[in-house]
Amino acid sequence: MSACCPPSRPEAGTVATDQVRPGDGVGSDGLRTLPGGTFRMGTADEDGFPADHEGPVREVTVGPFAIDAYCVTNTRFAEFVDATGYRTEAEQFGWTFVFAKFVPGELRKQSPRPEQAPWWCGVSGAFWQAPEGPGSTVEDRGDHPVVHVSWNDATAYCRWAGRRLPTEAEWEYAARGGLDQARYPWGDDLTPGGVHQCNIWQGRFPVHNTAEDGHVGTAPVDAFQPNGFGLYNVSGNVWEWCAGWFSEDQQARPMRGGSYLCHDSYCNRYRVAARTSNTPDSSSGNVGFRTVADL
């Protein structure tokens, strides 16, 4: 398991509308309309992960579609919950995975950790409105991406909103922002001119995050500059669920974009072509989603 990738949920028995900045070109529904077309998907990057099937580079054509400029926020997800009474899978299971350093000391001692990823704690009572466990809140994080949502939760939201999750081809086409085979949504340099372009880990994982990009956990959905198509935070911040299956065995659903826990020393999956997966009922504090509307 990669350090930045959320752990899968063990089998049973084991442990408001987005705020849109005036004049930024985003529609009142929060969507960017993209024309579609043919682009080169995948990568032959030597820093890639062949086991994730990032390559080969191939030409892929997508039709026109509209996609959220921002990930679904806590405010927006709350509208869904208020309207439907929906309970996420983390609430139904009674727990979800939280990054250990975000968990208060006593609670951290009581929370089981996956042996292969001890930086995660299975925290009882954690869910999207209490992202670090009992006593935590999202009251001051309405404009942050909702987390602790499973693939099943994300698709339930989509059904309510009349949307769907993007395919991986749509997601990558949108995330590239019109650039051909660039490593990141803005180009090939991670920090052009020494300026941070995304919310990822700085320092030594998992011991110390210097937060040079200004964020330790999630950042507001409109943090940093958008890509060429006007999409925000398609690298870093939170992983984003996509439609389809990760591989032919149809056991896991794909995720794209990396998260605030990714670091070049072990997991540079904040590259545009990078991908990972998780079981559709799994959730954690670094996974969210954005939606697509058909035209």
Side-chain angles (χ1 to χ4, degrees):
M1 176 186 299
S2 168
C4 71
C5 301
S8 300
R9 180 174 293 280
E11 293 182 3
T14 67
V15 207
T17 302
D18 286 329
Q19 296 297 313
V20 177
R21 291 182 171 181
D24 73 354
V26 182
S28 60
D29 55 5
L31 295 168
R32 292 281 191 184
T33 299
L34 303 184
T38 300
F39 75 107
R40 292 201 295 164
M41 183 175 178
T43 186
D45 194 327
E46 61 182 11
D47 289 334
F49 295 88
D52 290 345
H53 302 290
E54 295 181 8
V57 177
R58 66 277 191 194
E59 287 194 346
V60 174
T61 300
V62 296
F65 63 100
I67 186 169
D68 281 326
Y70 318 105
C71 279
V72 173
T73 61
N74 285 310
T75 295
R76 195 168 154 194
F77 198 77
E79 292 176 355
F80 160 59
V81 171
D82 289 345
T84 64
Y86 184 82
R87 296 179 70 243
T88 60
E89 292 195 292
E91 293 170 88
Q92 296 176 51
F93 286 120
W95 67 276
T96 182
F97 285 110
V98 181
F99 184 60
K101 279 191 169 291
F102 296 165
V103 183
E106 194 59 37
L107 182 58
R108 187 164 60 241
K109 293 177 183 177
Q110 302 168 7
S111 302
R113 305 192 188 197
E115 182 178 351
Q116 71 275 33
W119 45 86
W120 288 106
C121 290
V123 177
S124 295
F127 70 111
W128 73 273
Q129 282 186 307
E132 290 80 52
S136 63
T137 178
V138 294
E139 287 184 3
D140 61 347
R141 285 179 268 182
D143 61 347
H144 285 227
V146 65
V147 293
H148 298 301
V149 287
S150 68
W151 187 91
N152 294 324
D153 297 330
T155 55
Y157 173 93
C158 287
R159 286 192 296 271
W160 171 78
R163 306 274 183 87
R164 60 177 175 82
L165 293 176
T167 66
E168 287 193 81
E170 289 171 332
W171 189 95
E172 188 169 326
Y173 166 81
R176 289 190 176 279
L179 299 180
D180 177 49
Q181 285 293 293
R183 178 175 283 192
Y184 308 113
W186 55 86
D188 291 319
D189 185 357
L190 180 60
T191 54
V195 177
H196 289 279
Q197 303 294 315
C198 64
N199 177 19
I200 55 176
W201 187 283
Q202 292 92 44
R204 186 163 63 92
F205 186 89
V207 179
H208 179 58
N209 187 352
T210 63
E212 293 170 16
D213 58 24
H215 306 282
V216 175
T218 58
V221 295
D222 62 354
F224 306 99
Q225 292 298 308
N227 72 359
F229 287 161
L231 273 65
Y232 291 78
N233 291 308
V234 282
S235 279
N237 212 22
V238 295
W239 285 100
E240 300 179 22
W241 289 112
C242 287
W245 296 100
F246 183 73
S247 59
E248 292 181 357
D249 64 9
Q250 298 190 354
Q251 297 295 313
R253 300 292 189 175
M255 298 186 294
R256 291 298 200 108
S259 82
Y260 60 83
L261 295 178
C262 287
H263 186 270
D264 185 59
S265 66
Y266 62 84
C267 177
N268 59 5
R269 286 185 174 87
Y270 43 85
R271 293 170 296 104
V272 176
R275 59 198 298 260
T276 194
S277 67
N278 214 332
T279 55
D281 63 349
S282 293
S283 61
S284 67
N286 68 337
V287 179
F289 67 104
R290 73 180 71 212
T291 72
V292 159
D294 292 312
L295 299 179

